Amino acid sequence: MTLGFALAVAATLLSGTAGPASAAAEPESAAGTRTAVRVKVSEFVTNDGGYFYTANETEKQRALSYGWRLTQTPMYYISSAPFPGGKPLYRLRWLKKASYIVSTQESERDKLVASGQFRYEGRLGYAPASREAGGDVQIWRLSSNSRWRLATEAHKDSILVKEPGWHLDGRVYFQFKSPS
């Protein structure tokens, strides 16, 4: 993928043309105004070999149109709006290539943006902070050579054994197993 094409993809995703559907990565001010709806998270491999996450159907279709490959990684559901016991999921793009990181910590988000190497794209959605908040499935973050990915417990273990070079960053949040 050329740099121009990558910038066009990022600009399109950020410009709002991806649509206002539930749980798009969105600016801070818009999140508290909608009713919480559970939405499915999708994982893509970008043309640069990075990983991209969305819970927005319009973004999903747009990513497919760019030739990004939808993976078979088991991902479940998050909420489109805040809820008691939930925490926001922040999506950031690494500026050197189409590689994305998801964080639940404002301090990490702010530190990455301040480094000048990442652009904050908004909230992916909201996830249970614990089992008590309704979380059914633990989600872990792994990293390898400026690529970041999310995985369930079993998938995390498989990646660490079968795909050399990946390192475990730790558990980042929970997902809901069902859409309701």
Side-chain angles (χ1 to χ4, degrees), residues 118-170:
F118 290 84
R119 178 179 54 243
Y120 173 54
E121 292 197 332
R123 286 192 203 99
L124 179 64
Y126 297 83
S130 65
R131 290 199 189 281
E132 293 75 26
D136 302 310
V137 181
Q138 290 186 47
I139 301 297
W140 301 81
R141 189 174 74 196
L142 299 98
S143 58
S144 175
N145 297 321
S146 300
R147 294 182 304 155
W148 301 268
R149 68 189 301 189
L150 302 174
T152 62
E153 180 86 21
H155 193 233
K156 164 195 63 96
D157 294 343
S158 175
I159 291 168
L160 292 171
V161 169
K162 297 178 183 176
E163 300 179 38
W166 285 99
H167 304 282
L168 182 62
D169 293 344

Side-chain angles (χ1 to χ4, degrees), residues 36-99:
V37 173
R38 290 185 187 181
V39 288
K40 181 128 173 78
V41 176
S42 297
E43 178 189 71
F44 288 85
V45 175
T46 71
N47 294 334
D48 287 338
Y51 289 84
F52 172 76
Y53 296 89
T54 185
N56 175 287
E57 188 60 32
T58 302
E59 273 191 342
K60 179 179 173 183
Q61 294 307 315
R62 195 168 307 280
L64 288 168
S65 77
Y66 298 138
W68 294 1
R69 186 176 49 84
L70 183 62
T71 72
Q72 297 303 309
T73 298
M75 288 282 134
Y76 295 97
Y77 298 87
I78 60 175
S79 175
S80 63
F83 63 94
K87 59 184 174 180
L89 303 176
Y90 305 112
R91 187 175 74 195
L92 298 99
R93 183 187 188 276
W94 188 44
L95 297 177
K96 293 184 181 181
K97 66 179 185 178
S99 189

